[in-house]
Short mmCIF file of all heavy atoms in Angstrom, two decimals:
data_model
loop_
_atom_site.label_atom_id
_atom_site.label_comp_id
_atom_site.label_asym_id
_atom_site.label_seq_id
_atom_site.Cartn_x
_atom_site.Cartn_y
_atom_site.Cartn_z
N PHE A 1 -8.76 0.02 -1.73
CA PHE A 1 -7.32 -0.13 -1.52
C PHE A 1 -6.97 -1.57 -1.37
O PHE A 1 -7.79 -2.46 -1.09
CB PHE A 1 -7.01 0.52 -0.17
CG PHE A 1 -7.06 2.00 -0.08
CD1 PHE A 1 -8.26 2.55 0.43
CD2 PHE A 1 -6.10 2.88 -0.55
CE1 PHE A 1 -8.43 3.94 0.54
CE2 PHE A 1 -6.29 4.22 -0.42
CZ PHE A 1 -7.42 4.77 0.08
N LEU A 2 -5.64 -1.91 -1.64
CA LEU A 2 -5.06 -3.10 -1.20
C LEU A 2 -4.55 -2.94 0.17
O LEU A 2 -3.70 -2.09 0.39
CB LEU A 2 -3.95 -3.55 -2.15
CG LEU A 2 -3.08 -4.76 -1.76
CD1 LEU A 2 -3.87 -6.02 -1.63
CD2 LEU A 2 -1.94 -4.99 -2.70
N PHE A 3 -5.04 -3.79 1.13
CA PHE A 3 -4.57 -3.56 2.47
C PHE A 3 -3.64 -4.62 2.84
O PHE A 3 -3.73 -5.78 2.55
CB PHE A 3 -5.76 -3.59 3.48
CG PHE A 3 -5.37 -3.67 4.97
CD1 PHE A 3 -4.90 -2.45 5.51
CD2 PHE A 3 -5.52 -4.75 5.64
CE1 PHE A 3 -4.56 -2.51 6.83
CE2 PHE A 3 -5.21 -4.79 7.02
CZ PHE A 3 -4.66 -3.54 7.56
N GLU A 4 -2.50 -4.17 3.55
CA GLU A 4 -1.50 -5.18 4.00
C GLU A 4 -0.99 -4.81 5.41
O GLU A 4 -1.04 -3.60 5.72
CB GLU A 4 -0.28 -5.30 3.05
CG GLU A 4 -0.68 -5.90 1.68
CD GLU A 4 0.62 -6.10 0.89
OE1 GLU A 4 1.67 -5.66 1.24
OE2 GLU A 4 0.41 -6.55 -0.32
N VAL A 5 -0.59 -5.74 6.09
CA VAL A 5 -0.01 -5.47 7.49
C VAL A 5 1.51 -5.63 7.38
O VAL A 5 2.08 -6.66 6.89
CB VAL A 5 -0.58 -6.48 8.56
CG1 VAL A 5 0.11 -6.16 9.93
CG2 VAL A 5 -2.10 -6.37 8.62
N GLY A 6 2.14 -4.47 7.70
CA GLY A 6 3.70 -4.54 7.69
C GLY A 6 4.34 -5.37 8.72
O GLY A 6 3.61 -5.87 9.65
N GLY A 7 5.64 -5.59 8.55
CA GLY A 7 6.30 -6.49 9.57
C GLY A 7 6.28 -5.98 10.94
O GLY A 7 6.39 -6.68 11.94
N ASP A 8 6.12 -4.57 11.05
CA ASP A 8 6.07 -3.99 12.46
C ASP A 8 4.63 -3.76 12.80
O ASP A 8 4.32 -3.03 13.80
CB ASP A 8 6.77 -2.63 12.30
CG ASP A 8 6.27 -1.73 11.24
OD1 ASP A 8 5.35 -2.22 10.48
OD2 ASP A 8 6.72 -0.60 11.10
N GLY A 9 3.66 -4.37 12.16
CA GLY A 9 2.23 -4.29 12.48
C GLY A 9 1.57 -3.12 11.95
O GLY A 9 0.36 -2.90 12.27
N ARG A 10 2.25 -2.28 11.14
CA ARG A 10 1.59 -1.04 10.56
C ARG A 10 0.55 -1.51 9.54
O ARG A 10 0.63 -2.40 8.86
CB ARG A 10 2.64 -0.16 10.02
CG ARG A 10 3.52 0.66 10.93
CD ARG A 10 4.41 1.55 10.25
NE ARG A 10 5.21 0.88 9.14
CZ ARG A 10 5.54 1.46 7.91
NH1 ARG A 10 5.17 2.73 7.74
NH2 ARG A 10 6.28 0.79 7.01
N LYS A 11 -0.50 -0.60 9.48
CA LYS A 11 -1.56 -0.80 8.54
C LYS A 11 -1.27 -0.05 7.25
O LYS A 11 -1.06 1.23 7.25
CB LYS A 11 -2.96 -0.34 9.04
CG LYS A 11 -3.29 -0.95 10.36
CD LYS A 11 -4.54 -0.32 10.96
CE LYS A 11 -4.87 -0.75 12.36
NZ LYS A 11 -5.88 -0.02 12.92
N LEU A 12 -0.98 -0.79 6.18
CA LEU A 12 -0.55 -0.23 4.92
C LEU A 12 -1.64 -0.21 3.82
O LEU A 12 -2.34 -1.16 3.64
CB LEU A 12 0.65 -0.91 4.42
CG LEU A 12 1.85 -1.06 5.48
CD1 LEU A 12 3.02 -1.94 4.79
CD2 LEU A 12 2.36 0.33 5.83
N LEU A 13 -1.72 0.85 3.10
CA LEU A 13 -2.74 0.99 2.09
C LEU A 13 -1.99 1.21 0.75
O LEU A 13 -1.12 2.08 0.68
CB LEU A 13 -3.71 2.19 2.23
CG LEU A 13 -4.65 1.98 3.54
CD1 LEU A 13 -5.48 3.37 3.70
CD2 LEU A 13 -5.56 0.91 3.36
N TYR A 14 -2.35 0.37 -0.24
CA TYR A 14 -1.68 0.45 -1.56
C TYR A 14 -2.81 0.71 -2.58
O TYR A 14 -3.99 0.37 -2.58
CB TYR A 14 -1.09 -0.81 -1.92
CG TYR A 14 0.15 -1.22 -1.04
CD1 TYR A 14 0.04 -1.89 0.16
CD2 TYR A 14 1.48 -0.85 -1.46
CE1 TYR A 14 1.09 -2.18 0.91
CE2 TYR A 14 2.54 -1.11 -0.71
CZ TYR A 14 2.40 -1.80 0.49
OH TYR A 14 3.47 -2.10 1.31
N LEU A 15 -2.34 1.43 -3.71
CA LEU A 15 -3.14 1.65 -4.96
C LEU A 15 -2.24 1.29 -6.14
O LEU A 15 -1.08 0.84 -5.87
CB LEU A 15 -3.59 3.18 -5.04
CG LEU A 15 -4.54 3.70 -4.01
CD1 LEU A 15 -4.72 5.10 -4.11
CD2 LEU A 15 -5.90 2.89 -4.19
N TYR A 16 -2.83 1.35 -7.31
CA TYR A 16 -1.95 0.99 -8.45
C TYR A 16 -1.53 2.27 -9.18
O TYR A 16 -2.32 3.31 -9.29
CB TYR A 16 -2.90 0.16 -9.46
CG TYR A 16 -2.54 -1.31 -9.45
CD1 TYR A 16 -2.12 -1.89 -8.26
CD2 TYR A 16 -2.80 -2.11 -10.60
CE1 TYR A 16 -1.85 -3.30 -8.32
CE2 TYR A 16 -2.56 -3.46 -10.59
CZ TYR A 16 -2.06 -4.02 -9.44
OH TYR A 16 -1.73 -5.37 -9.38
N ALA A 17 -0.34 2.26 -9.65
CA ALA A 17 0.21 3.38 -10.48
C ALA A 17 0.98 2.60 -11.56
O ALA A 17 1.96 1.99 -11.28
CB ALA A 17 1.09 4.26 -9.57
N TYR A 18 0.55 2.88 -12.80
CA TYR A 18 1.15 2.34 -14.03
C TYR A 18 1.22 0.76 -13.85
O TYR A 18 2.37 0.22 -14.26
CB TYR A 18 2.51 2.99 -14.20
CG TYR A 18 2.44 4.45 -14.36
CD1 TYR A 18 2.85 5.29 -13.32
CD2 TYR A 18 1.97 5.06 -15.45
CE1 TYR A 18 2.84 6.56 -13.37
CE2 TYR A 18 1.96 6.42 -15.65
CZ TYR A 18 2.22 7.16 -14.60
OH TYR A 18 2.21 8.61 -14.63
N GLY A 19 0.27 0.19 -13.34
CA GLY A 19 0.26 -1.29 -13.26
C GLY A 19 0.93 -1.89 -12.14
O GLY A 19 1.06 -3.14 -12.00
N GLU A 20 1.57 -1.09 -11.27
CA GLU A 20 2.33 -1.57 -10.04
C GLU A 20 1.73 -0.93 -8.83
O GLU A 20 1.21 0.06 -8.78
CB GLU A 20 3.87 -1.16 -10.17
CG GLU A 20 4.55 -1.68 -11.37
CD GLU A 20 4.68 -3.21 -11.43
OE1 GLU A 20 4.67 -3.77 -10.35
OE2 GLU A 20 4.76 -3.81 -12.51
N LYS A 21 1.78 -1.74 -7.68
CA LYS A 21 1.18 -1.15 -6.48
C LYS A 21 2.07 -0.19 -5.91
O LYS A 21 3.39 -0.24 -5.99
CB LYS A 21 0.92 -2.34 -5.53
CG LYS A 21 2.13 -2.93 -4.86
CD LYS A 21 1.72 -4.03 -3.79
CE LYS A 21 2.88 -4.54 -3.05
NZ LYS A 21 2.40 -5.54 -1.94
N GLN A 22 1.43 0.80 -5.31
CA GLN A 22 2.22 2.06 -4.79
C GLN A 22 1.67 2.23 -3.36
O GLN A 22 0.39 2.44 -3.19
CB GLN A 22 1.86 3.25 -5.65
CG GLN A 22 2.61 4.49 -5.09
CD GLN A 22 2.35 5.66 -6.00
OE1 GLN A 22 2.73 5.57 -7.25
NE2 GLN A 22 1.85 6.76 -5.53
N LEU A 23 2.53 2.31 -2.37
CA LEU A 23 2.19 2.57 -1.00
C LEU A 23 1.69 4.04 -0.87
O LEU A 23 2.34 5.00 -1.35
CB LEU A 23 3.41 2.37 -0.13
CG LEU A 23 3.20 2.75 1.39
CD1 LEU A 23 2.02 1.79 2.01
CD2 LEU A 23 4.43 2.52 2.17
N MET A 24 0.52 4.25 -0.32
CA MET A 24 0.05 5.59 -0.02
C MET A 24 0.49 6.09 1.33
O MET A 24 -0.18 5.84 2.33
CB MET A 24 -1.55 5.58 -0.11
CG MET A 24 -2.08 5.00 -1.43
SD MET A 24 -1.38 5.84 -2.96
CE MET A 24 -2.04 7.51 -2.67
N LYS A 25 1.61 6.72 1.38
CA LYS A 25 2.16 7.10 2.62
C LYS A 25 1.37 8.29 3.27
O LYS A 25 0.83 9.07 2.56
CB LYS A 25 3.60 7.62 2.29
CG LYS A 25 4.58 6.59 1.83
CD LYS A 25 5.93 7.22 1.51
CE LYS A 25 6.98 6.21 0.96
NZ LYS A 25 8.20 6.72 0.76
N GLY A 26 1.20 8.12 4.52
CA GLY A 26 0.43 9.22 5.27
C GLY A 26 -1.05 8.88 5.34
O GLY A 26 -1.70 9.55 6.11
#
């Protein structure tokens, strides 16, 4: 995964979909 920390401190996981990053909600 691509891991990022949101502005509110949330732990966000991203994958790629059609060459663009996509947030994996849930």
Side-chain angles (χ1 to χ4, degrees):
F1 294 97
L2 170 61
F3 175 70
E4 292 183 0
V5 178
D8 54 0
R10 287 187 304 146
K11 303 171 188 175
L12 307 177
L13 294 175
Y14 292 88
L15 294 172
Y16 257 29
Y18 303 105
E20 301 293 335
K21 71 176 188 178
Q22 175 178 310
L23 177 64
M24 304 306 293
K25 297 179 180 179

